[in-house]
Amino acid sequence: MLALNFRSFRSRLLTFVLGLLVLVQGAVLLSVNAANIRVARGNIGEALELTATAFRSSLGVREQILLEKAHLLSGDFAFKEASATGDHLTLLSALENHQTRVGANVMMLIDMQDQVLADTLHPDDHGRPSPLRPLVLAAMASEFGEASSIEPIDGRPYQLVVVPLFTPEPSAWIAIGYALDDAFAEQLRRETKTHVSLLWLLDDEWQLFGSTLTPGPREELMRALPPDVAAAQATASLDLGGAEFVSLFAPVANAQTEVVAVLQRSFAEALAPFLRLRTPLWMIFALGIAFSVTGGVLLATRVTRPVAGLARGARRIAAGDYATPVEVEQHDELGELASSFNHMMKGLAERDRVREMLGKVVSPEIAEELLSKEIELGGEEREVSVLFTDVRDFSAVAESMSPQELVALLNTYLTWLTAIVERHGGVVEQYVGDAVMALFGAPLQHDDDALRAVRVALELCGALPEINRKIARLGGRTLAMGVGIHTDVVVAGNIGSPSRLNYKVVGDGVNLASRLEGLTKRYRVGAIVSRSTMEACPGIVFRELDRVRVKGRATPVQIYQPMGMVGELEASAEELLATHAEALRHYRARNWERAEKLFLSLERLDPHSLVYSLYRKRTLSFRESTPPPDWDGTFTYTEK
């Protein structure tokens, strides 16, 4: 058995190595375990949120199906004729036939006096007051004369819709619905791998009307519910029969009574894959300890044995014995130390003979230079062409896609856009959702930065159909984009704090570039540049669009649309540009009649261009109400 004496170097070395190993591996085990628990809970939380979304989506889909089936029946001529007879058996037969065809669980026909004409749940019962009066009142108050809700019938919940029957005036109400029960919950569980329990509040008491849980856990769930179930929307851990279930409470908004879906996943099942890692980790831990003990003993012995020999040699030297050298067979640093020790011993032996001639000269020199480079905030003025681009109506695009599909679309789009910017020597300064801000002139600077920025705009507009085809394969909608470019002197440099910096450009020119991008929607063009940018691009043909005063800026700016490289436009396009320039001259000279005729001819030649129609409408307005004498053709925008 290994005896430890903490006054010895070997014991302290072994203790240090083993203690460090236990500390590190213990910390790793604890960290892995904590991370596993955190990841498992995170995964469950994400899964429950997705299930809540799927639950609400399922209710929405069922509602749409019910509305479609109800509208189908309300428009059925044969059913209208049957309704006109007022015969209970005829109406009941028609409802049962339609119910069978659409797979509904209940159908009713209710007259305008709120009396049940026919009810598939109660075939022999008619002429009684309708149990769906709140839903009928909601339909009467709605804009489209229809309503949907979760309503109790005979103590059971049904997802119902009510639509009017026109013959041709509203003569009755058609109600159709699906039962909400264990089958609905089980269908959702199969789709999401999540336990679903459906509760509603009846007589101030929560009751369970559908669940994927077995009878035992169902009873445990009812006992473990929080006091205010409808307000408990965050995830919570519930103990069901000794097993922990992470639960999410998802209230249903469209219900006459309070309805809540309790979505649950077993924490033990989610953690099971991670728990299987514990055995290998413990084996690694045990093997590490065993190898560390063996290696530590060997290492300590290899270190302490020559050190002990050196200690014995030092004691001999202290006794005046310089004849016996220290023997160390190792060829590492300890061997070098023993060799140096033996040389020292010879030197000491010679010292007695040459004491008067030799002395010990110690001449230490310590030279140390501390270099400190503090973080500097600030920047320098640079002429920069700022390019802004944004996807039009991106909110509508995002609404039509799942988060995963949206991320894939954005990554595809931004990868394509960034590659074009970088190929022309620009730098993407930031992404803001679907919007991109790129710089030409900072931090990299070229002689033709404005030209590079405009070429990027032309390439983006020209290659948009290609990227849209790729996006279509991902299931996304066709994208439209706008590009705004302005060239100005801005401040470029490090902005932020000493602990966190960003390379940014700031100034009025940045804001103007953003405003120009917003104007592309006003003129329905792909790109708009300022006059300063246009003047820096002699190799590009531009169409002057307007002289505008953007929101937040008092100074007017002339804006242009890049049309293409010089020499690449077709003759017809050049003629249109010449006519457009002439029409603008007459417009600004107040020759309204001549300007109107020119813009009208341009509009006929290019009906897809909004610019010509916009100016034609302005000339018509100015012919009726002449602008003031100081009018210089500037149009002021009061919105972004």
Side-chain angles (χ1 to χ4, degrees):
M1 184 176 178
L2 181 64
L4 295 180
N5 180 3
F6 287 98
R7 289 182 297 177
S8 69
F9 175 77
R10 183 175 68 173
S11 299
R12 292 197 296 272
L13 179 61
L14 284 174
T15 302
F16 173 78
V17 171
L18 292 177
L20 181 62
L21 181 65
V22 170
L23 178 64
V24 171
Q25 291 199 347
V28 169
L29 287 174
L30 292 175
S31 299
V32 169
N33 187 65
N36 289 339
I37 294 175
R38 185 171 60 253
V39 170
R41 291 192 180 276
N43 291 342
I44 293 177
E46 292 177 3
L48 292 178
E49 291 291 345
L50 291 175
T51 302
T53 302
F55 169 67
R56 296 187 177 98
S57 175
S58 179
L59 290 179
V61 170
R62 287 161 62 101
E63 179 182 325
Q64 290 301 316
I65 293 174
L66 289 172
L67 286 172
E68 290 176 4
K69 303 305 181 183
H71 288 153
L72 180 65
L73 185 59
S74 67
D76 190 295
F77 180 75
F79 184 75
K80 291 181 180 180
E81 287 187 334
S83 174
T85 66
D87 182 68
H88 170 253
L89 293 179
T90 302
L91 292 174
L92 181 63
S93 176
L95 288 180
E96 289 176 342
N97 181 54
H98 191 71
Q99 175 180 329
T100 302
R101 285 191 286 121
V102 303
N105 298 111
V106 61
M107 290 195 69
M108 292 185 190
L109 187 65
I110 305 168
D111 65 15
M112 303 308 290
Q113 287 73 41
D114 199 40
Q115 299 296 312
V116 176
L117 298 177
D119 181 357
T120 60
L121 286 179
H122 307 87
D124 300 327
D125 191 4
H126 64 280
R128 59 184 173 87
S130 166
L132 305 181
R133 179 172 178 77
L135 189 57
V136 171
L137 292 177
M140 295 173 63
S142 71
E143 179 182 357
F144 301 101
E146 58 189 37
S148 63
S149 178
I150 296 175
E151 297 283 345
I153 301 177
D154 298 337
R156 296 180 60 192
Y158 288 83
Q159 185 178 5
L160 296 158
V161 299
V162 168
V163 300
L165 176 65
F166 294 97
T167 58
E169 296 296 323
S171 61
W173 298 96
I174 299 173
I176 181 172
Y178 289 131
L180 294 178
D181 50 18
D182 289 348
F184 172 70
E186 181 60 26
Q187 178 185 355
L188 191 60
R189 189 197 66 80
R190 288 196 300 267
E191 294 173 355
T192 63
K193 310 301 181 185
T194 301
H195 282 294
V196 179
S197 298
L198 304 174
L199 309 174
W200 64 346
L201 189 64
L202 290 180
D203 300 327
D204 295 330
E205 183 178 352
W206 287 99
Q207 297 184 13
L208 186 69
F209 61 84
S211 179
T212 59
L213 297 173
T214 55
R218 291 190 186 196
E219 297 175 0
E220 294 287 344
L221 172 63
M222 298 306 295
R223 288 195 291 268
L225 288 176
D228 192 355
V229 176
Q233 299 186 26
T235 56
S237 292
L238 300 181
D239 185 2
L240 305 184
E244 180 182 359
F245 281 77
V246 181
S247 307
L248 175 67
F249 300 91
V252 178
N254 189 20
Q256 197 65 31
T257 185
E258 288 188 275
V259 177
V260 173
V262 183
L263 311 175
Q264 297 176 301
R265 284 205 171 193
S266 169
F267 181 70
E269 292 178 4
L271 196 61
F274 302 110
L275 294 178
R276 287 193 290 270
L277 292 174
R278 287 187 177 179
T279 300
L281 289 176
W282 279 109
M283 291 179 63
I284 293 173
F285 180 81
L287 290 174
I289 294 294
F291 283 117
S292 297
V293 170
T294 304
V297 171
L298 295 176
L299 178 63
T301 301
R302 191 171 179 82
V303 170
T304 57
R305 183 177 297 165
V307 169
L310 290 172
R312 289 191 295 271
R315 288 193 291 271
R316 288 196 298 271
I317 291 175
D321 180 7
Y322 301 110
T324 307
V326 175
E327 295 182 358
V328 177
E329 298 178 355
Q330 298 175 204
H331 301 286
D332 52 13
E333 290 84 353
L334 290 174
E336 293 181 4
L337 177 60
S339 178
S340 299
F341 186 89
N342 290 331
H343 285 295
M344 179 195 69
M345 187 169 54
K346 292 180 180 179
L348 290 174
E350 294 177 356
R351 184 189 60 178
D352 290 341
R353 297 192 300 268
V354 293
R355 184 179 295 271
E356 291 84 6
M357 298 177 60
L358 296 178
K360 184 176 181 182
V361 179
V362 178
S363 160
E365 181 177 356
I366 301 175
E368 182 179 1
E369 182 181 1
L370 299 175
L371 299 177
S372 173
K373 189 175 183 180
E374 296 181 357
I375 296 175
E376 296 181 359
L377 300 175
E380 59 179 350
E381 290 188 345
R382 300 278 288 272
E383 183 176 273
V384 174
S385 293
V386 182
L387 180 148
F388 272 90
T389 179
D390 194 11
V391 175
R392 295 175 184 167
D393 298 326
F394 187 73
S395 297
V397 176
E399 186 179 4
S400 65
M401 304 181 70
S402 69
Q404 293 84 355
E405 292 172 338
L406 185 61
V407 169
L409 182 147
L410 272 178
N411 287 340
T412 300
Y413 168 78
L414 294 176
T415 299
W416 164 77
L417 189 150
T418 303
I420 293 176
V421 170
E422 293 177 350
R423 186 164 62 248
H424 288 272
V427 175
V428 173
E429 195 261 357
Q430 64 175 333
Y431 299 110
V432 183
D434 58 294
V436 175
M437 174 182 173
L439 306 177
F440 295 81
L444 306 176
Q445 197 167 22
H446 308 89
D447 294 332
D448 57 346
D449 284 309
L451 180 61
R452 291 169 181 261
V454 176
R455 282 178 173 171
V456 166
L458 289 172
E459 186 171 345
L460 289 174
C461 295
L464 189 60
E466 176 185 350
I467 192 62
N468 270 326
R469 286 191 293 271
K470 184 178 294 186
I471 289 173
R473 291 194 293 270
L474 296 174
R477 290 172 45 179
T478 299
L479 301 182
M481 64 183 298
V483 182
I485 304 174
H486 176 55
T487 302
D488 203 350
V489 175
V490 298
V491 175
N494 293 323
I495 295 176
S497 69
S499 61
R500 186 182 181 113
L501 297 178
N502 277 329
Y503 188 88
K504 306 280 287 184
V505 294
V506 294
D508 179 65
V510 179
N511 299 329
L512 180 55
S514 176
R515 295 289 189 268
L516 296 184
E517 183 279 321
L519 290 181
T520 58
K521 292 179 284 190
R522 303 277 186 176
Y523 296 89
R524 202 185 296 163
V525 295
I528 292 179
V529 306
S530 64
R531 183 181 183 88
S532 60
T533 300
M534 183 274 295
E535 291 176 344
C537 303
I540 295 180
V541 178
F542 293 88
R543 175 173 69 166
E544 183 177 0
L545 293 177
D546 210 346
R547 180 186 294 123
V548 299
R549 184 179 290 106
V550 299
K551 182 180 180 181
R553 200 171 191 267
T555 305
V557 59
Q558 286 181 266
I559 59 175
Y560 301 81
Q561 177 191 3
M563 306 299 293
M565 304 301 295
V566 172
E568 294 182 357
L569 294 183
E570 297 179 356
S572 59
E574 293 182 350
E575 291 176 3
L576 283 176
L577 288 176
T579 305
H580 175 71
E582 181 183 357
L584 272 183
R585 287 195 297 272
H586 286 291
Y587 169 81
R588 289 171 179 164
R590 300 171 182 253
N591 299 327
W592 310 123
E593 184 175 354
R594 178 59 179 162
E596 181 185 353
K597 290 180 179 179
L598 289 173
F599 283 123
L600 181 59
S601 66
L602 288 168
E603 187 177 0
R604 290 171 178 169
L605 292 173
D606 187 7
H608 298 293
S609 176
L610 181 66
V611 176
Y612 307 134
S613 172
L614 183 149
Y615 273 105
R616 184 175 58 79
K617 292 177 181 177
R618 287 186 189 176
T619 54
L620 286 173
S621 175
F622 287 151
R623 289 178 66 178
E624 296 176 1
S625 177
T626 304
D630 61 345
W631 178 78
D632 62 350
T634 299
F635 186 85
T636 300
Y637 285 98
T638 58
E639 297 179 354
K640 296 182 181 179

